[in-house]
Amino acid sequence: STAELIENEKISSILLLAAGVAHELGNPLNSLTIHLQLIDRKLKKLKASKETRSLEDSIKVCRDEVTRLDGIIKNFLEAIRPRPPDLAELYLPDLIEEVLHFQARELADRGIKVEGEMPAGTPMIMADRDQLKQVFFNLIKNAMEAMQPGGRLSLKLRADDDSVYVALADTGSGIKTEDLAKLFQPYHTTKVSGHGLGLMIVQRILRDHGGHVGIESKEGVGTVVTLQFPQKHRRVRMLAGG
Ligand code: ADP
Ligand code: MG
């Protein structure tokens, strides 16, 4: 459902933010480990007394707790590692229609017209349905957020011998040349309430599918996002190592 997709996007965003924080904690923890070791060594060189022994005990507790924190962080990062795609035969026009249907209400509310060119007989691909829903949801959302009422979103599918391509074009604000290189970086956003993770997730999912995402844009004119997916027959050969 739409709520699920929105929830998924929120959850993956929150997890990525948390992963960023967890990753950042690594440096101060390393520094703590090194300095606790130093203090411990210096203490052991002092004349032993009740005080030095009590301090050594405290340092032991600190070192154990640092090890414990390190373990918690490593487990957390492992637990939220994105799962590999669960591949099954998929017909892209149906999936795109489904996602458009989810977002029809918001598209209408924003006064955006949708045009689709999805030729019947588009070749099958091997894909993870939920992950691809997330891809189109994120891209359509970005397009909506870039457009004013009266804007047009067009979705076109085409295929060659090996791949299926989807082009999503919008008549939105476009992207500044200097921002083009940053689009897939986590946390890059030009929006007040953006999180800058949508395109990073899209790129990761496309990569996990053996595909590719490219973005062309002109400020004040619009943006075209192109997705490339290997066709089913190619994907099957790739997996078989051929
Ligand atoms: P967010 O939407 O949270 O900002 P994204 O990763 O989805 O994060 O997008 C990153 C940035 O890329 C956006 O803030 C915006 O500046 C730009 N962008 C993405 N898609 C479009 C688009 N269709 N039109 C204009 N700018 C876009
Ligand atoms: Mg976005």
Side-chain angles (χ1 to χ4, degrees):
S1 67
T2 320
E4 261 168 42
L5 276 175
I6 295 169
E7 203 48 37
N8 278 347
E9 205 204 14
K10 269 196 214 142
I11 291 168
S12 39
S13 302
I14 291 164
L15 285 181
L16 276 163
L17 285 168
V21 173
H23 195 76
E24 289 298 314
L25 289 175
N27 292 330
L29 278 182
N30 267 337
S31 169
L32 277 173
T33 306
I34 292 166
H35 285 276
L36 284 170
Q37 251 167 29
L38 267 172
I39 298 170
D40 202 36
R41 257 183 244 144
K42 289 202 170 153
L43 258 180
K44 288 201 164 97
K45 282 183 192 155
L46 295 179
K47 203 157 81 73
S49 69
K50 214 167 136 195
E51 264 89 295
T52 59
R53 269 191 300 273
S54 148
L55 279 173
E56 275 176 46
D57 287 346
S58 293
I59 285 166
K60 169 98 173 53
V61 172
C62 290
R63 291 181 68 174
D64 288 349
E65 294 293 32
V66 168
T67 306
R68 199 156 70 99
L69 279 174
D70 195 53
I72 293 170
I73 290 169
K74 294 226 165 80
N75 279 333
F76 175 75
L77 287 172
E78 179 62 30
I80 65 165
R81 214 170 45 165
R83 65 177 174 78
D86 185 4
L87 299 179
E89 204 175 63
L90 185 136
Y91 184 59
L92 266 176
D94 286 349
L95 181 112
I96 293 173
E97 288 292 349
E98 206 179 310
V99 179
L100 277 174
H101 182 75
F102 286 150
Q103 282 162 304
R105 179 66 179 276
E106 195 180 350
L107 285 160
D109 285 350
R110 288 175 182 263
I112 291 161
K113 276 177 267 158
V114 182
E115 298 159 3
E117 231 174 76
M118 300 192 228
T122 297
M124 292 288 194
I125 62 170
M126 294 299 285
D128 184 307
R129 238 192 134 65
D130 289 337
Q131 291 189 357
L132 285 209
K133 276 193 200 170
Q134 200 66 56
V135 163
F136 287 102
F137 182 87
N138 291 358
L139 294 177
I140 294 168
K141 191 157 177 267
N142 278 345
M144 284 198 280
E145 287 169 351
M147 285 190 281
Q148 303 293 328
R152 265 177 298 121
L153 169 67
S154 112
L155 291 119
K156 287 185 184 163
L157 259 100
R158 64 184 181 84
D160 60 18
D161 287 346
D162 287 327
S163 301
V164 177
Y165 304 88
V166 188
L168 291 97
D170 67 59
T171 57
S173 58
I175 297 162
K176 288 199 178 78
T177 318
E178 69 254 39
D179 283 340
L180 279 172
K182 301 181 203 152
L183 292 179
F184 299 108
Q185 286 173 11
Y187 317 117
H188 166 73
T189 183
T190 57
K191 297 168 194 173
V192 182
S193 62
H195 43 57
L197 297 167
L199 288 178
M200 193 211 76
I201 293 170
V202 167
Q203 190 182 47
R204 196 193 66 218
I205 293 175
L206 264 286
R207 200 194 299 129
D208 288 350
H209 281 75
H212 180 259
V213 52
I215 300 185
E216 283 172 76
S217 189
K218 199 164 179 195
E219 224 192 323
V221 179
T223 302
V224 184
V225 180
T226 308
L227 307 177
Q228 175 257 324
F229 296 95
Q231 279 185 32
K232 183 192 153 198
H233 68 82
R234 212 181 121 215
R235 179 80 206 179
V236 169
R237 270 213 309 276
M238 269 166 49
L239 291 173

